[in-house]
Amino acid sequence: RVRLVESGGGSVQAGGSLRLSCVASGYTYSDGYMAWFRQAPGKEREAVAAIYSSATITHYKDFAKGRFTISQDSAKNTVYLQMNSLIPEDTAMYYCAAQQSYDDRFFVPRVYGYWGQGTQVTVSS
């Protein structure tokens, strides 16, 4: 049984940093992409970044480029999202997701079969 558990969220001021962690149990990284999504109140869930560990391929949405970094530590079964230069618009619930099988539509939520419970990020101005 696959289980994803996020942590690392919190409240920070604009310009600050947070590192989110997603511990994946029962999951084989070579199965497909893992990704971070976020959802703000009243808005649709949107992709932030994705990583395909077997080939160390990463992808970022435009708003995340240059500020966020997705990485993984296979030994710890953990995927990270380092977020720097945070702005109030980054406030959202952040979710870790994993694919059940490889699908190159890595920014599409419905191609991910496993989801964590989310961790809240709040950025104040």
Side-chain angles (χ1 to χ4, degrees):
R1 175 174 168 263
V2 175
R3 187 168 182 237
L4 305 178
V5 179
E6 304 99 330
S7 63
S11 297
V12 296
Q13 289 191 326
S17 298
L18 285 172
R19 188 176 79 158
L20 306 184
S21 300
C22 172
V23 178
S25 58
Y27 185 72
T28 302
Y29 286 115
S30 60
D31 285 346
Y33 275 93
M34 293 190 70
W36 287 95
F37 288 80
R38 69 184 187 182
Q39 188 167 20
K43 294 187 177 181
E44 292 188 354
R45 189 167 298 190
E46 64 175 348
V48 177
I51 184 168
Y52 182 49
S53 300
S54 294
T56 318
I57 295 173
T58 58
H59 305 278
Y60 297 90
K61 295 292 282 186
D62 285 346
F63 66 81
K65 292 178 181 177
R67 298 192 300 130
F68 296 179
T69 303
I70 189 170
S71 62
Q72 65 105 17
D73 184 334
S74 298
K76 297 182 179 180
N77 295 324
T78 302
V79 173
Y80 301 99
L81 184 68
Q82 177 68 43
M83 304 188 295
N84 299 326
S85 302
L86 286 162
I87 59 177
E89 290 75 14
D90 293 320
T91 295
M93 185 72 79
Y94 283 71
Y95 297 91
C96 176
Q99 293 180 342
Q100 293 171 287
S101 60
Y102 180 83
D103 192 315
D104 63 4
R105 296 172 294 170
F106 40 80
F107 284 161
V108 177
R110 68 176 182 272
V111 306
Y112 289 83
Y114 306 114
W115 291 85
Q117 82 289 347
T119 185
Q120 177 68 39
V121 172
T122 302
V123 184
S124 59
S125 58

